Amino acid sequence: MVQLTSHSASAAMEGVGAADFTECPGVDGTTPEGRQPEADFLGQLVHRTDAEDVFPTGWTRQTETQFSVAARWPRAHRFFAPVSGRHQDPLLIAETMRQTTMLLGHAAFGVPMGDQFVMWELAYVSEPDQLLLGEEPWDITVDVSCSRIRRGVRSINSMHVELLLHRLGTVLASGGGRISCTSAKAYRRVRDGRQDVIGAPIPLLPAVAPAVVGRTDELDVVLAPGPRHNVWQLRLDTRHPTLFSRPNDHVPGILLLEAARQAAVAVTPGHGFLPTSVKTDFLQYVELDRPCWIEARPVPAGDPATTGVHVSATQDDRPVFACTLESPGPRQVAANDRQVGQS
């Protein structure tokens, strides 16, 4: 499981509910009266402090449980950078799903900002050809369907979400997840003693060579050398502007997904691994101040033309995270690259 909120955002927005955020249809994020939502307010609804990291731009309600969310992806981002300069980073899909779910939780279902979101499962399947960079802007529409909603006294306790991302009239990806919500008081009780780690210095481990894990900058490397082949220690740089954009008392979920991607790249050298399909289970909170071990192994994929990698994480000898990633085979990636080069 992974918490999706932060104490800094909660403190700033305590008491905000659905009635406080007007529906804002359209890619430009304007309200029906033409007003532009405050960028900082929208950022707090998706728990991001930097506007560069905020992808949703507005939302509309279709039914009581169905919604449409407009989002915009950057063509270049300091962390979610184009892969090999040719494809949008597929982890933008996961991050957009995460932000979309939190936005609707607060704005449509009235989850107070002091409450904590916990994600238990996240999965997506994308179309590799639709991730190729072109000249058009990356305006995305996310159709969301919520089900198995369990309601509490104030808001929801849990729900499942299914999401369909499309762009220029073509499906880009589909996916879903399962979340639960915990009151601030209950969260403090569950995390008794662990919140003292917020802001505490975390030793920065040496990084694996960036090229080995598909990165160009050591700042973005989240794996440190491990004790044996295909095993690494999770590397945490709490100064990272995107992965640690706000204080947290445990490892953020998007960092665990990035660790899985980097491990998959490392065990498929020369492949050009592009995680176009991901299935993830968040099993436990991953603590910041204890070693976490990441292990990867190739596995058969559902399609013979694809490459699969299973990544698991353990801490204190307990499984805390599991992820299976699939990528188009090297030939398909190369064919897509040639397509871009000829366009």
Side-chain angles (χ1 to χ4, degrees):
M1 58 184 170
V2 57
Q3 176 195 344
L4 297 180
T5 191
S6 71
H7 299 284
S8 57
S10 299
M13 299 295 290
E14 186 173 2
V16 171
D20 300 297
F21 185 64
T22 306
E23 294 183 27
C24 30
V27 170
D28 63 356
T30 57
T31 68
E33 294 77 21
R35 300 190 304 271
Q36 186 76 13
E38 290 292 337
D40 290 346
F41 185 36
L42 183 58
Q44 289 186 64
L45 288 172
V46 301
H47 306 164
R48 286 298 190 184
T49 58
D50 191 327
E52 182 180 347
D53 296 332
V54 177
F55 302 134
T57 59
W59 69 283
T60 56
R61 182 190 297 274
Q62 307 298 331
T63 70
E64 286 301 307
T65 59
Q66 295 177 308
F67 308 87
S68 180
V69 175
R72 180 177 292 124
W73 286 358
R75 289 181 55 82
H77 187 272
R78 64 188 175 204
F79 180 72
F80 299 104
V83 180
S84 302
R86 298 186 181 277
H87 298 83
Q88 282 280 24
D89 183 354
L91 289 194
L92 278 167
I93 299 168
E95 179 63 13
T96 301
M97 292 168 61
R98 185 191 76 89
Q99 293 188 19
T100 293
T101 301
M102 290 187 295
L103 170 62
L104 293 176
H106 290 309
F109 290 100
V111 175
M113 289 296 292
D115 287 8
Q116 313 296 317
F117 288 89
V118 176
M119 177 161 279
W120 298 88
E121 301 165 1
L122 184 147
Y124 70 78
V125 177
S126 63
E127 298 294 333
D129 292 349
Q130 301 306 316
L131 295 173
L132 291 167
L133 288 171
E135 297 302 323
E136 301 85 358
W138 279 81
D139 293 325
I140 310 295
T141 299
V142 187
D143 294 330
V144 186
S145 178
C146 305
S147 63
R148 286 174 275 184
I149 301 169
R150 294 180 56 203
R151 299 184 184 272
V153 175
R154 296 185 303 166
S155 60
I156 59 172
N157 289 334
S158 63
M159 69 178 179
H160 287 68
V161 290
E162 295 181 0
L163 305 97
L164 184 71
L165 287 72
H166 48 98
R167 171 178 177 263
L168 301 176
T170 303
V171 172
L172 177 71
S174 60
R178 177 170 64 95
I179 67 162
S180 61
C181 303
T182 305
S183 71
K185 182 178 180 180
Y187 183 76
R188 287 193 296 269
R189 188 165 58 247
V190 169
R191 298 291 290 161
D192 182 37
R194 295 308 306 161
Q195 292 174 311
D196 293 343
V197 77
I198 297 176
I202 304 298
L204 183 61
L205 300 174
V208 171
V212 171
V213 293
R215 284 292 180 175
T216 59
D217 191 333
E218 186 176 290
L219 172 70
D220 297 324
V221 176
V222 298
L223 298 181
R228 60 184 188 276
H229 185 58
N230 291 352
V231 176
W232 303 267
Q233 186 170 349
L234 192 63
R235 178 177 186 263
L236 305 176
D237 186 349
T238 55
R239 303 166 301 172
H240 195 284
T242 296
L243 296 176
F244 285 96
S245 63
R246 60 192 188 276
N248 214 331
D249 67 0
H250 64 272
V251 177
I254 194 63
L255 193 151
L256 294 173
L257 282 170
E258 176 63 19
R261 185 246 296 275
Q262 292 188 15
V265 171
V267 299
T268 57
H271 180 283
F273 195 92
L274 190 72
T276 52
S277 172
V278 166
K279 184 178 186 300
T280 301
D281 292 303
F282 300 97
L283 305 173
Q284 300 284 340
Y285 291 113
V286 179
E287 307 298 349
L288 295 167
D289 57 352
R290 299 205 289 270
C292 178
W293 304 101
I294 307 295
E295 182 171 2
R297 56 183 174 85
V299 294
D303 183 342
T306 64
T307 299
V309 176
H310 181 74
V311 178
S312 59
T314 57
Q315 189 171 66
D316 298 330
D317 297 322
R318 295 186 304 169
V320 292
F321 169 80
C323 184
T324 299
L325 311 90
E326 293 187 1
S327 167
R331 290 183 180 179
Q332 185 174 348
V333 171
N336 289 343
D337 288 351
R338 287 194 298 272
Q339 179 182 337
V340 173
Q342 294 167 3
S343 61

